[in-house]
């Protein structure tokens, strides 16, 4: 077993992906995906070889390669043009309805390539997504990735809204299809979705689908004050019996109305519920006007649960700033050392803290030097990049920094 010997594993996979034997190439696709998804490093060569597997005469291999490329975004950005060329060739061969090609293997290869392009935010995925939504052919797959194609908002948002209006709220969870549609609309943050999201809340409430209603409230919150027309629906739910629903409604109240006098006391009370993390996050977004909640948040810095301490520490920093930097940096470092899963959230806060985060330099160095990923590719890449940036910043003597 080659284990963590990445150069040797990469060399072996390189040979396998170049093999004239289709079976060897196919098996190497998943192994390359696993290596790239597990280990940090420059994987451009492997990604290029995965792109070379987008073969017009081998839909089985092409589908597997496209699926792997889609799962490894943003590392696979170097395969963008190969994916676009593959999709364009399919459309030239099978026509504008290529997404709905009757041949199952060819259809899957095309759809996987379109979805990979969409995850890269590439507008060249748009024709396939529109075909899926208009022809209702595997539309659920298009909904999964539609929110990444921001350039297509004008055409995608109305279609997503129409599908949301037709969702069956008597079905729970994924069966209704509402959750995925709401998530896609939340990604756009488009005011055109406000009426559909408002009606989704009302429909979910009629069927006692509290989780779906909370998701729609969160989507409205992502739009901000421009969704104020939904306030009559949102405001009563800030007193809902269901805590998840009440928390989402309170967060939406802040985003839509920006009245700390109303929202901060509600969030303060929610700090004693199982939704304390979400409540702390909103208090942090409110900033200094949320100061009345500081005593409770500071008390949470000694909680037994790592995630409670983390979210409280971030909120304390965002509300009080440098005045509480010692307590915040100490808590963040303790949480990170005790629970590696918190790394991304901790480092995101450290970046905002500026010079006050300098005591975390040893942890930043250790994380930047780690070879193995401990989270998804997209988050891990951002984490690693931020750690490297902060490491360089804090390792440079103040007198040597530009402007000092």
């Amino acid at each position: 077993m080659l284990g963590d010997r990445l150069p040797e594993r990469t060399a072996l996979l390189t040979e396998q992906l170049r093999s004239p034997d289709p079976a060897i190439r196919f098996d190497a696709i998943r192994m390359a995906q696993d290596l790239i998804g597990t280990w940090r490093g420059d994987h451009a060569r492997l990604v290029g070889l995965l792109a070379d597997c987008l073969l017009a005469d081998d839909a089985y291999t092409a589908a597997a390669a496209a699926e792997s490329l889609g799962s490894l975004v943003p590392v696979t950005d170097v395969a963008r043009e190969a994916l676009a060329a593959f999709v364009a060739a399919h459309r030239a061969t099978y026509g504008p309805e290529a997404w709905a090609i009757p041949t199952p293997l060819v259809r899957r290869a095309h759809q996987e390539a379109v979805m990979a392009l969409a995850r890269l935010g590439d507008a060249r995925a748009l024709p396939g997504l529109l075909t899926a939504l208009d022809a209702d052919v595997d539309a659920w797959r298009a909904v999964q990735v539609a929110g990444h194609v921001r350039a297509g908002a004008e055409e995608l948002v109305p279609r997503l809204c129409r599908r949301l209006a037709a969702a069956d709220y008597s079905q729970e969870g994924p069966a209704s299809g509402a959750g995925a549609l709401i998530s896609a609309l939340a990604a756009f943050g488009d005011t055109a979705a406000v009426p559909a999201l408002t009606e989704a809340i009302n429909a979910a409430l009629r069927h006692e689908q509290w989780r779906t209603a909370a998701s729609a409230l969160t989507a409205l919150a992502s739009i901000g004050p421009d969704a104020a027309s939904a306030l009559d629906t949102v405001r009563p739910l800030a007193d809902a019996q269901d805590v998840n629903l009440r928390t989402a409604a309170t967060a939406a109240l802040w985003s839509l109305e920006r009245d700390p006098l109303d929202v901060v006391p509600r969030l303060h009370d929610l700090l004693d519920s199982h939704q304390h993390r979400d409540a702390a996050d909103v208090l942090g977004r409110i900033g200094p006007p949320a100061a009345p909640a500081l005593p409770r948040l500071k008390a949470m810095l000694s909680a037994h649960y790592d995630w409670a301490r983390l979210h409280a520490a971030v909120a304390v920093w965002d509300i009080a700033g440098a005045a509480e930097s010692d307590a915040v940096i100490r808590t963040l470092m303790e949480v990170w050392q005790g629970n590696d899963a918190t790394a991304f959230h901790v480092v995101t806060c450290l970046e905002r803290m500026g010079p006050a985060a300098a005591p975390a330099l040893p942890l930043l160095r250790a994380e930047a030097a780690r070879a193995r990923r401990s989270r998804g590719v997209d988050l891990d890449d951002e984490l690693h990049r931020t750690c490297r940036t902060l490491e360089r910043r804090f390792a440079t003597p103040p007198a040597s920094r530009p402007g000092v």
Side-chain angles (χ1 to χ4, degrees), residues 5 33 45 77 104 114 139 164-165 231 240 273 277 299 341 368 370 397:
R5 293 158 61 188
Q33 177 184 333
R45 182 168 61 165
D77 186 68
V114 169
L164 183 59
L231 276 169
S273 74
R277 291 163 55 179
R370 185 206 298 270

Side-chain angles (χ1 to χ4, degrees), residues 87 91 96-100 110-111 114-115 118 122-143 145-147 149-163 188:
V87 169
R91 288 176 62 81
E97 304 297 310
W99 176 278
H110 183 80
Q111 291 182 359
V114 169
M115 293 171 70
D122 197 302
R124 287 171 289 187
L126 185 58
L129 302 183
L130 296 179
T131 297
L133 296 172
D134 291 342
D136 199 24
V137 175
D138 297 329
W140 62 274
R141 308 193 83 206
V143 171
V145 299
V149 188
R150 305 297 176 82
E154 185 175 350
E155 294 181 272
L156 288 168
V157 169
R159 289 168 167 83
L160 294 169
C161 287
R162 287 195 291 272
R163 298 187 77 86
F188 285 110

Side-chain angles (χ1 to χ4, degrees), residues 15 17 35 44 62 72 122 125 127 130 142 151 159 242 259 327 333 377:
E15 292 304 312
L17 287 168
L35 184 144
L72 296 169
D122 197 302
L130 296 179
R159 289 168 167 83
D242 183 86
D259 181 2
M333 291 173 64
V377 171

Side-chain angles (χ1 to χ4, degrees), residues 123-302:
R124 287 171 289 187
L126 185 58
L129 302 183
L130 296 179
T131 297
L133 296 172
D134 291 342
D136 199 24
V137 175
D138 297 329
W140 62 274
R141 308 193 83 206
V143 171
Q144 286 181 347
V145 299
H148 295 281
V149 188
R150 305 297 176 82
E154 185 175 350
E155 294 181 272
L156 288 168
V157 169
R159 289 168 167 83
L160 294 169
C161 287
R162 287 195 291 272
R163 298 187 77 86
L164 183 59
D168 182 1
Y169 291 90
S170 66
Q171 300 288 320
E172 293 187 6
S176 73
L181 289 161
I182 289 168
S183 294
L185 289 170
F188 285 110
D190 194 311
T191 55
V194 172
L197 290 169
T198 305
E199 180 50 38
I201 294 169
N202 292 325
L205 293 174
R206 287 195 295 271
H207 289 88
E208 299 185 355
Q209 300 289 353
W210 314 130
R211 188 182 299 275
T212 301
S215 295
L217 284 163
T218 301
L220 281 175
S222 71
I223 298 172
D226 288 340
S229 60
L231 276 169
D232 287 345
T233 296
V234 173
R235 189 175 286 109
L237 298 178
D239 296 312
Q241 184 174 0
D242 183 86
V243 176
N244 296 339
L245 189 58
R246 188 162 75 246
T247 305
T250 304
L253 267 185
W254 167 250
S255 292
L256 274 58
E257 203 168 35
R258 303 295 171 94
D259 181 2
L261 294 178
D262 178 28
V263 171
V264 171
R266 296 176 183 275
L267 293 168
H268 182 279
D269 292 344
L270 286 165
L271 291 174
D272 291 319
S273 74
H274 68 269
Q275 286 291 317
H276 50 79
R277 291 163 55 179
D278 289 345
D281 289 349
V282 181
L283 287 165
R285 289 199 293 272
I286 293 172
L294 271 176
R296 180 70 187 92
L297 288 166
K298 289 166 69 175
M300 290 172 61
L301 297 181
S302 58

Side-chain angles (χ1 to χ4, degrees), residues 59-60 63 99-111 138 141:
Y60 189 62
W99 176 278
I101 297 168
T103 308
L105 273 180
V106 178
R107 181 171 69 245
R108 178 170 171 259
H110 183 80
Q111 291 182 359
D138 297 329
R141 308 193 83 206

